[in-house]
Amino acid sequence: IGGWLPNVLKKKVFICRGLRAFDKVYVETSTLKKKVEAFGINQVVLLPNFKKIEIVKEKAISLGFNDCGAAKVEQLPTSKFDEWIKKGYNANMNYLNNYHSQRFNPCELLEGAKTVFSFIISYNTENQIEQYTHKIASYAQGFDYHKVIKNKLYILLEELKALYPDFQAKICVDTAPVMEKHWAVKAGLGWIGKNTCFISEKWGSKVFLAEIICNYESDYTQEVRNQCGKCRKCIKSSLE
């Protein structure tokens, strides 16, 4: 099919390859469907409310994000979290007792939610304030990341809505009741280490997480293997 379609169309269709030939071509709009069919391809399937992860990822990276993945919305189990709260491990973080149902079901944050797009952006940069004698956490050495990341996501959201006017979404950056690490893992961006921190194979653990919960489906990314193995460096470091 590569020789049949012009480059402008190759970037906008989702092709399912069979053993001998291309079985089906999936497109996102009826206009694209007609254009592809004009090349003599009969099995063209229209995917309503479908957003290719490549489109979202390309736009996200252009805005400064380091990676992006997609996970299908599902009701999350609550037993481990409930036991953690029951034991008082949240200390004085009483806000974790709030919005319990929303925290584990994105559909309660956005009606008709189908996909969680998860984003990471690294803050693993050199110390910018070495002239000071006191120490400041690396994540706090720049502008308020809540505002910076949220602004980027609103720009991304406007670009997506320009392409798909019925695209509905909720933006989440740290403060929303969302299990961020879980969705980042489900989206194939990394895994949770033995110190319970999220770890990206390429960007490490110094990353901010953010999400766009939306009413569109996507070609969901696969989870990656937990690569901690027998390593216990994070635990040893935290005890020193």
Side-chain angles (χ1 to χ4, degrees), residues 11-52:
K11 295 181 180 180
K12 297 181 179 181
V13 299
F14 180 59
I15 304 167
C16 181
R17 187 193 298 270
L19 293 176
R20 297 182 181 180
F22 289 92
D23 288 339
K24 295 179 180 179
V25 175
Y26 296 87
V27 297
E28 301 176 28
T29 66
S30 56
T31 301
L32 278 177
K33 186 174 185 292
K34 293 179 181 179
K35 289 183 178 181
V36 174
E37 287 175 337
F39 285 85
I41 302 171
N42 297 320
Q43 299 190 67
V44 183
V45 181
L46 178 63
L47 293 176
N49 289 0
F50 181 86
K51 175 65 64 178
K52 289 180 64 177

Side-chain angles (χ1 to χ4, degrees), residues 88-124:
Y89 289 164
N90 59 318
N92 62 347
M93 296 182 291
N94 296 322
Y95 62 87
L96 290 175
N97 294 313
N98 303 329
Y99 307 107
H100 185 277
S101 59
Q102 293 95 323
R103 194 178 303 278
F104 295 94
N105 185 2
C107 289
E108 294 199 20
L109 292 172
L110 177 73
E111 185 177 358
K114 295 181 178 179
T115 298
V116 176
F117 288 109
S118 185
F119 306 84
I120 63 174
I121 184 167
S122 172
Y123 61 88
N124 191 15

Side-chain angles (χ1 to χ4, degrees), residues 15 38 45 50 85 91-92 101 112 126 133 135-136 138 140 153 162 172 174 177 222 224 232 236 239-240:
I15 304 167
V45 181
F50 181 86
I85 292 290
N92 62 347
S101 59
E126 294 183 4
T133 57
K135 293 184 178 180
I136 296 180
S138 52
L153 289 181
C172 305
D174 192 31
Q222 294 183 343
V224 298
R232 293 174 57 85
K236 181 180 178 181
L239 295 175
E240 292 178 348

